[in-house]
Amino acid sequence: MCSWTDGRTLVVQLVPRGASMDDHDPASGCLHEKKKLPAFTWEVRANNRSYHMQFKKKFAFCLTKKKYAGNAIKTAKYNILTFLPLNLYEQFHRMANVYFVFVILLQTIPEISTLPWYTLLFPLSCLLTIRALRDLIDDIGRHQSDRNINSRPCEILSGKSFRWQKWCDICVGDIVRLRKESFVPADMLLLCSSEPSSLCYVETADIDGETNLKFRQALPVTHRELTSEGSVAAFDGRVTCEEPNSRMHSFTGTLQWRGETYALDSERILLRGCKLRNTDFCYGLVIYAGFDSKIMRNCGKIKRKKTKLDRMMDQLVIIIFLVLLAMSLCLAIASGFWAKTFQEKHTYLSALYKHTAPAKQAFFSFWGFAILLSIIIPMSMYITFEFIYLVNSFFINWDLEMYYAVKDIPAKARSTSLNDQLGQIEYIFSDKTGTLTQNIMSFKKCCINGTVYGLGTGRENKQPSGSGMTWSHRGEKMSYSNDVTLLEAARRDSDPLLREFLRLLALCHTIMVEERGGQLVYQAASPDEEALVLAARDLGYVFLSRTQDTITISELGVKRTYKVLAMLDFNSDRKRMSVLVRDPQGTIRLYTKGADTVILARLRSRGPSETFTERALDCFAEETLRTLCLASKVVSEAEYCEWSRRHQEASILLQDRAWQLDSLYEEMEQNLELLGVTAIEDKLQDGVPETIQLLKLGNIKVWVLTGDKQETAMNIGYACKLLTDDMEILEEKEVSEILEAHWVRNSRSSSRKAPGSGRLSQQHPGTSCHKKRALVVSGDFLDKILHTGEVLMKEEGWLWQWLPCRGATDSQEQGSLVEKAFVDLATSCQAVICCRVTPKQKALIVQLVKKHKKATTLAIGDGANDVNMIKTADIGVGISGLEGMQAVQCSDYALAQFSYLQRLLLVHGRWAYLRICKFLRYFFYKTFAGLMAQVWFAFHSGFTAQPLYEGWFLALYNVFYTAHPVLSVGLLEQDVSAKKSLEFPELYAIGQQDELFNYRIFGVTLLHGVSTSLASFYIAFWAFKDCVGSKVVGDYESFSVTVATSALLSVLVEIILDIKHWTVLSFLMVTASLLLFCLFSYLTQSIDAFRIAPAIFRFPDASQNALTDPYILLVVLLSLVVNTVPSLTVRSYHAITGRHSIQQQICSKARREPEPSVELRTHVHRGSFRRRSSYAFSHQEGYAGLITRGDSLRTKGTCATGGLHPQGTAPPSPSCHGPSA
Amino acid sequence: KPDNTAFKQQRLPAWQPILTAGTVLPAFFVIGLIFIPIGIGIFVTSNNIREYESNVFMYYGLSNFYQNHRRYVKSRDDSQLNGDNSSLLNPSKECEPYRTNEDKPIAPCGAIANSMFNDTLELYRIDNDTRTPITLIKKGIAWWTDKNVKFRNPTGDGNNLTALFQGTTKPVNWPKPVYMLDSELDNNGFINEDFIVWMRTAALPTFRKLYRLIERKNNLQPTLQAGKYSLEITYNYPVYSFDGRKRMILSTISWMGGKNPFLGIAYITVGSICFFLGVVLLIIHHKYGNRNTSADIPN
């Protein structure tokens, strides 16, 4: 079949064989190559370990490491020796920790030491220890997972034979034997495979998430020669190639062997993480191992994601810090003035000031106050915060409702610091295949000659859910008998149309078949096709075998061989594929299957059955089944001869070949006779439509970003209720129109205001406000828009009119304006579907929304093609339990099912957000309420930075006295139960709008805290000023104890009011903090403690003396009530007016609820009359060429060098066209 | 598989108190109803305190005296005061510049001790031109903990304080050394109660300290009968330079302390405010009440 060659192929054949594979488009590729030729400095010698060992490379200072990395991977950060120093080093990267160490150091200077040394050291060391422990546990987990991966078994050639060893034993240059279903352990050059033409099928789900099989092909020379173990062991080829890099889909190198040089490209490479499929075994030469492999290069360092609240908290801490510094400064200045008075007038003090000038005193006081007030900076907040996050993550892991029993997979919070963000998600970016769908196609219904078969719900047709790879293992036993009538009709064989229909299913496809162990195994490039062929098989039309130009099927037990005259392959423009066959009787028939729109337009006649079929199509569309129309016609011998001749001419054309072929195909596919319609269900995962519905109600927008085709994506969009019939679908054309209009408007107004400031949705009230809109765009279109706004500049050219008047506008700015406009448009839509997007674009879209909308985003996906997006989004969720674990590895949360997302967000997320917000609010409150009194005291102690509280109280206040109730809020608080949370997804909106913690609430909290501290302080102040109790005579210790007790109790009562969900644990926690206060007060103020260290335990019996005085107790009670009443009043007011209560919202919503749902239903009904094509097919072109060349067939074709067209730009033809060069 | 426990599934039985008018409004009235009587009680008690009945306490008061000055507060050595012999001869650096005098360690060291109040107050009853001194008891004015735990004289052979304080010198401002503060052994040296009271620093610049007790003689007569009294002050303590004032206060102590109008008034005010708030909320409740009677959704 090599006879059809063209001039270009001949030219290329001058270079070594296979070299032409490098560039698929040499016209531009060659130039490109010359411009930047990668340095081929990576040399790999097969079976020569010692060669690779000798190379070293510098990596830091004069340290070197091996140039060729081993295959062991290490993601763990520490080992036993480095743990302590590295961890401490990392911890001191946090500004807060450094600050506290600084303060602790300051404290050692006696002149300014205002607090005892233990006050800050104690909490800080607690903090460091706990964090170190957590890091340790994390790292142990990483060590384990590393060990698991490194100890996977594989066969490595050692000496003359293969031995089972571990992955980590693999070195560069080793030859590895891979068996079916095993993972590729390192990037390898495929040397030889068990399959014909040295093809090797791999599944790259781990790498790009695509589950269809890909072909890799060894060099013919190695395939020919390396057939036995002995020959492999003797292989001494040398590969010279690029240094390790992260470009997944490119590889350039050469193989030198036996004096000849062969070019290598990515088609010869098996990447680490791929899975070998349908190939018994293959040999590979390891080129990049371990961290040098492409996939590991792609796994960049995982950036620590920070939540909104986390960032805000950091800002708040900085604000507090600055305020404290300012406060210290003011107090210090005051202290300077007072120092003068003290020095001059207060004789009992003047000696203390003998050597200190007021300025010096002010300087000391500044630092003194800085130390004193540093306690207000919530150091222990971070640690409590992290603990709360941790436990909340455990709650996610523990949740039985998110446990997938079928595969025994619980939900997993891999990142423990993002829980609150789960309650603030505004946009969800979802992958389609494997995330929304199970990637299982099942033949559901069909309509043949006006009769609809398969009316059953089809639910009984449960397939082993889970693995999307089942098609190649399915035995013949399995039956698609979801409709008995169809089976019977097929058996009866009375309807010629039905016969043709089934024949078509068995003939018109590109599936390859193999007989193994008495079973037919189909290798399909798309699951749709496989579903159809399997359906035909079950109905008695078994596809048995194919050669380059024949197809053999068994029709109800009768074996018939059809001669394939031409395969008119599928592509996304044609939306159909045809096969031209000569049946055993000699009749030539054309069988076509394709999109309804395409097929219906090419029918010979329209009769009642066609009309009925159209109605069936509508029905299928409504059920969101993926439909294909089947049609056929008889072609006369003369017609075929003429056509065939022209076809041959066209296929050797140099120019416009594709166009010519297309028009020829078009010519052939006319005057068809409609056979029927098939309907395939792309099975959604359980509960997907419900989940999406719920998320939509929770004001979360779901965008589907898929690498799949538009039709498929839209079909799924309808199936999962993301798109509804009453939506206006904006496609690329409309989008560019709207953007243009927007641009014009903006440019006109640019003289007055900055362009882009107007909101897009507002500018098109007609289209946005009254109608639900959905946006469907493709990756190419996005590319155009997002790069430099090309879509506007190039396509229209009108932009240039506006440029001069706008002066010097750099294109970057324009680009971002277009971006902004696009994002505005997209976010104003109810649903967005982006199809045909690359992994990079997925990430880009997420990035855009983050950038322009400042929104919190979540990305969910299952494959490695989602990794970028998962990493970019604020929260990445991986679907676990599928073959590819890449997504899970990079995700923050791993779920087994998409539908668990509702619980993750609406229950766990919302609770976590609520908890963290309440926690933050309370934490700031208690810090201010408890500790601000220090400042007020300064006004009455001559600004001398005398601490009001005893050192131990300060040291333990945050850690022991108030930590427990805070924890109880952070761990157990629930406003409404999980069930209610799911029933009322509207409650989720509070998180999106940052309602529970923002600067306003922080301000209120601050004021509340300050007023509490003022009240506690001044009530005690007036009670002590020149007054006496029955025992207490206004002394400092009693005063200190009184203020401390009042403040602490006020703070505790506040949290008692704040807790809305009292469990036994919360009760215990609140009690515990009171008990701890008593206990530690007793211990630190005991006489024994004083005797041991009078300088450390300075307050012997102070509490005991003070708090047994009724006068003090009355004071404490008074300040407690004064502090509580305002807060209680506000709460009561809200409770009575019901303004802020969630219950109220629920109630009002519950009343509103019934009406819109009714309305919705009527919408659907009205809309369903509109005709909508539900055609969808996941097939890609290019396979027909492979078949007709015969590469993959057992009977080896004569043309072995033919490769695949990865991009499929060239027309498929029945010829063996060489590489399209 | 995760455990199906109430805690892990976050299904712990919980009480979810919901603030409603029914629960909150009574709280306000109850607080009001408790606080107003307490306030009145305190107010009345405070007003009924007489300077002459039962045991009378004699205080001296100082104002504008910063006993809570940080460096002043720090300027003491608790170990020394606790009878630690090494600290006695080598006082803490905190005591600077009142640590040593003429190369001898000061006992007690520090600014607090140095500035000890040393006026003497004597009270006489003038009866027909005869001055009868009122017995002022100088013991029992310090806290038990201070007297018995915090402050102890240095230990050594015998009870001769002069010998025990050998090698130390008196604070600069003191007229006599610490071991000559009193003639009685259990009120001398560091455990002199006047000294202890002074060393318990005041929280605020205006303060009073207990000076003496006047014990009630018999139950029939008030401790201080009506009549003329004269107070004799030996003026040693200068306060003029810092605009300070000195006062002498006589007071009896009730269950809630000395005479003090603040607490009673505060209680009455807070109680009234609560009551008022209760009324206001009640009105609001009546206005909004009907709207949210069904607001409680069981969880």
Side-chain angles (χ1 to χ4, degrees), chain A residues 249-263:
Chain A
H249 299 291
S250 82
F251 176 83
T252 323
T254 54
L255 169 71
Q256 284 170 296
W257 188 37
R258 295 180 181 168
E260 277 197 74
T261 308
Y262 307 91

Side-chain angles (χ1 to χ4, degrees), chain A residues 950 1037 1081-1091 1093-1094 1096-1106, chain B residues 78 143 145-146 149-151 200:
Chain A
E950 192 225 345
E1037 288 180 15
S1081 298
Y1082 175 76
L1083 288 180
T1084 57
Q1085 299 181 4
S1086 75
I1087 294 167
D1088 295 322
F1090 174 79
R1091 286 204 175 119
I1096 295 177
F1097 304 100
R1098 285 162 183 268
F1099 273 41
D1101 274 354
S1103 296
Q1104 201 181 323
N1105 283 314
Chain B
D78 279 323
W143 288 10
T145 320
D146 286 355
V149 181
K150 248 186 139 172
F151 292 83
R200 176 161 284 275

Side-chain angles (χ1 to χ4, degrees), chain A residues 353 915 1026 1035 1111 1114, chain B residues 10 69 200 247 260 267:
Chain A
Y353 283 99
R915 287 167 185 172
D1026 205 23
D1035 61 304
Y1111 181 72
L1114 284 173
Chain B
Q10 306 194 65
H69 187 288
R200 176 161 284 275
R247 287 166 301 150
N260 175 11
Y267 263 81

Side-chain angles (χ1 to χ4, degrees), chain A residues 942-987:
Chain A
F943 300 100
T944 51
Q946 166 69 11
L948 168 61
Y949 298 122
E950 192 225 345
W952 282 108
F953 178 78
L954 288 178
L956 301 173
Y957 179 76
N958 276 332
V959 184
F960 283 120
Y961 299 165
T962 54
H964 302 85
V966 171
L967 276 184
S968 118
V969 165
L971 302 183
L972 304 167
E973 188 69 0
Q974 304 179 2
D975 50 352
V976 294
S977 64
K979 198 165 143 262
K980 282 271 176 287
S981 300
L982 290 174
E983 255 170 61
F984 299 98
E986 292 80 2
L987 295 176

Side-chain angles (χ1 to χ4, degrees), chain A residues 231-529:
Chain A
S231 60
V232 172
F235 179 64
D236 60 349
R238 264 189 225 178
V239 173
T240 314
C241 59
E242 320 161 279
E243 290 283 312
N245 57 53
S246 60
R247 295 186 293 274
M248 284 306 253
H249 299 291
S250 82
F251 176 83
T252 323
T254 54
L255 169 71
Q256 284 170 296
W257 188 37
R258 295 180 181 168
E260 277 197 74
T261 308
Y262 307 91
L264 303 175
D265 71 348
S266 60
E267 290 300 307
R268 315 277 188 222
I269 301 294
L270 302 174
L271 294 181
R272 181 184 173 123
C274 294
K275 197 172 183 183
L276 207 62
R277 284 279 183 197
N278 297 343
T279 308
D280 285 333
F281 65 88
C282 72
Y283 298 119
L285 168 67
V286 176
I287 293 179
Y288 304 125
F291 278 112
D292 291 333
S293 60
K294 302 236 176 205
I295 190 144
M296 296 308 286
R297 287 269 165 163
N298 258 302
C299 298
K301 270 196 176 173
I302 292 174
K303 264 197 293 179
R304 201 180 96 85
K305 289 177 182 174
K306 278 192 151 190
T307 67
K308 251 192 207 170
L309 281 178
D310 218 351
R311 278 192 291 267
M312 185 173 165
M313 211 171 79
D314 288 348
Q315 284 168 8
L316 288 180
V317 168
I318 290 172
I319 290 173
I320 294 174
F321 174 70
L322 293 177
V323 167
L324 290 186
L325 278 190
M327 212 143 56
S328 303
L329 193 67
C330 296
L331 293 171
I333 290 169
S335 126
F337 287 107
W338 276 77
K340 203 168 147 61
T341 322
F342 283 140
Q343 193 171 13
E344 287 167 1
K345 294 184 175 169
H346 291 251
T347 42
Y348 55 96
L349 294 170
S350 46
L352 298 173
Y353 283 99
K354 213 181 283 168
H355 305 295
T356 14
K360 196 172 167 192
Q361 181 57 39
F363 177 75
F364 286 150
S365 291
F366 172 75
W367 292 111
F369 277 116
I371 294 171
L372 186 62
L373 299 180
S374 67
I375 202 86
I376 296 180
I377 291 182
M379 163 168 52
S380 64
M381 183 165 72
Y382 284 103
I383 193 171
T384 327
F385 202 61
E386 280 177 14
F387 183 74
I388 290 173
Y389 272 132
L390 189 70
V391 178
N392 275 314
S393 309
F394 280 131
F395 280 135
I396 290 174
N397 298 350
W398 286 332
D399 195 341
L400 273 177
E401 311 255 327
M402 297 205 292
Y403 167 74
Y404 191 50
V406 178
K407 289 209 220 156
D408 187 32
I409 302 170
K412 177 105 182 80
R414 291 169 39 84
S415 154
T416 56
S417 57
L418 300 170
N419 299 329
D420 64 286
Q421 194 107 310
L422 287 175
Q424 298 188 284
I425 302 296
E426 287 167 77
Y427 293 92
I428 292 180
F429 299 91
S430 173
D431 178 38
K432 186 187 74 69
T433 317
T435 306
L436 296 177
T437 65
Q438 300 177 0
N439 205 21
I440 294 177
M441 303 291 165
S442 54
F443 183 79
K444 266 281 131 87
K445 293 187 179 181
C446 60
C447 169
I448 304 164
N449 195 17
T451 320
V452 175
Y453 296 97
L455 289 168
T457 50
R459 284 277 169 240
E460 71 277 6
N461 180 27
K462 268 267 191 258
Q463 289 176 16
S465 46
S467 164
M469 302 295 143
T470 44
W471 64 79
S472 49
H473 312 293
R474 231 177 260 141
E476 277 182 272
K477 293 170 287 289
M478 232 157 123
S479 171
Y480 273 87
S481 55
N482 52 348
D483 187 21
V484 192
T485 46
L486 179 59
L487 191 62
E488 280 169 3
R491 291 275 142 84
R492 241 180 289 124
D493 198 20
S494 54
D495 183 354
L497 271 180
L498 175 63
R499 202 184 304 139
E500 287 300 309
F501 181 92
L502 295 172
R503 220 171 249 165
L504 190 154
L505 291 186
L507 289 173
C508 180
H509 54 77
T510 56
I511 285 179
M512 275 163 279
V513 67
E514 228 177 303
E515 196 168 334
R516 264 176 224 171
Q519 280 194 354
L520 290 174
V521 179
Y522 294 137
Q523 291 165 358
S526 79
D528 301 70
E529 277 207 317

Side-chain angles (χ1 to χ4, degrees), chain B residues 22-243:
Chain B
T23 54
V24 171
L25 289 177
F28 280 93
F29 291 115
V30 166
I31 294 174
L33 286 178
I34 292 173
F35 265 51
I36 295 173
I38 291 181
I40 293 171
I42 294 169
F43 194 71
V44 170
T45 318
S46 171
N47 276 357
N48 284 345
I49 285 173
R50 299 282 174 264
E51 289 75 27
Y52 42 83
E53 282 167 353
S54 71
N55 288 345
V56 173
F57 291 73
M58 186 187 210
Y59 302 92
Y60 61 89
L62 286 174
S63 57
N64 206 19
F65 190 101
Y66 281 82
Q67 256 207 319
N68 58 8
H69 187 288
R70 179 171 68 90
R71 292 166 75 180
Y72 181 84
V73 171
K74 274 168 74 176
S75 186
R76 66 192 280 164
D77 185 349
D78 279 323
S79 297
Q80 190 193 44
L81 298 172
N82 199 26
D84 187 80
N85 283 330
S86 62
S87 299
L88 181 72
L89 296 174
N90 184 19
S92 151
K93 287 202 180 65
E94 304 277 8
C95 287
E96 290 290 1
Y98 299 108
R99 185 166 167 266
T100 53
N101 189 19
E102 295 162 352
D103 289 337
K104 274 186 172 178
I106 294 174
C109 73
I112 310 177
N114 187 55
S115 61
M116 183 176 151
F117 183 78
N118 57 359
D119 283 5
T120 45
L121 309 176
E122 282 165 321
L123 194 61
Y124 297 94
R125 180 179 155 81
I126 300 168
D127 210 6
N128 301 330
D129 292 340
T130 57
R131 296 198 334 159
T132 354
I134 307 280
T135 325
L136 301 174
I137 300 166
K138 56 191 172 186
K139 287 203 281 187
I141 55 171
W143 288 10
W144 181 90
T145 320
D146 286 355
K147 174 96 179 173
N148 296 289
V149 181
K150 248 186 139 172
F151 292 83
R152 280 188 301 185
N153 278 323
T155 46
D157 307 328
N159 285 328
N160 188 354
L161 284 182
T162 321
L164 289 174
F165 282 100
Q166 190 67 45
T168 64
T169 183
K170 67 176 178 65
V172 190
N173 283 4
W174 287 21
K176 51 192 175 186
V178 68
Y179 46 86
M180 288 168 70
L181 283 175
D182 200 275
S183 52
E184 290 176 55
L185 187 64
D186 64 346
N187 194 28
N188 200 4
F190 289 153
I191 54 170
N192 176 276
E193 295 201 16
D194 283 331
F195 174 66
I196 293 173
V197 166
W198 180 256
M199 291 304 284
R200 176 161 284 275
T201 52
L204 301 165
T206 302
F207 61 90
R208 60 170 85 167
K209 284 179 185 287
L210 192 52
Y211 185 64
R212 293 291 183 261
L213 297 171
I214 307 168
E215 245 177 4
R216 184 174 202 170
K217 293 281 162 42
N218 60 50
N219 287 330
L220 298 174
Q221 286 177 325
T223 318
L224 294 174
Q225 287 167 340
K228 271 179 136 182
Y229 290 85
S230 86
L231 176 68
E232 211 162 83
I233 299 168
T234 319
Y235 193 106
N236 298 320
Y237 204 70
V239 291
Y240 179 74
S241 66
F242 54 91
D243 301 325

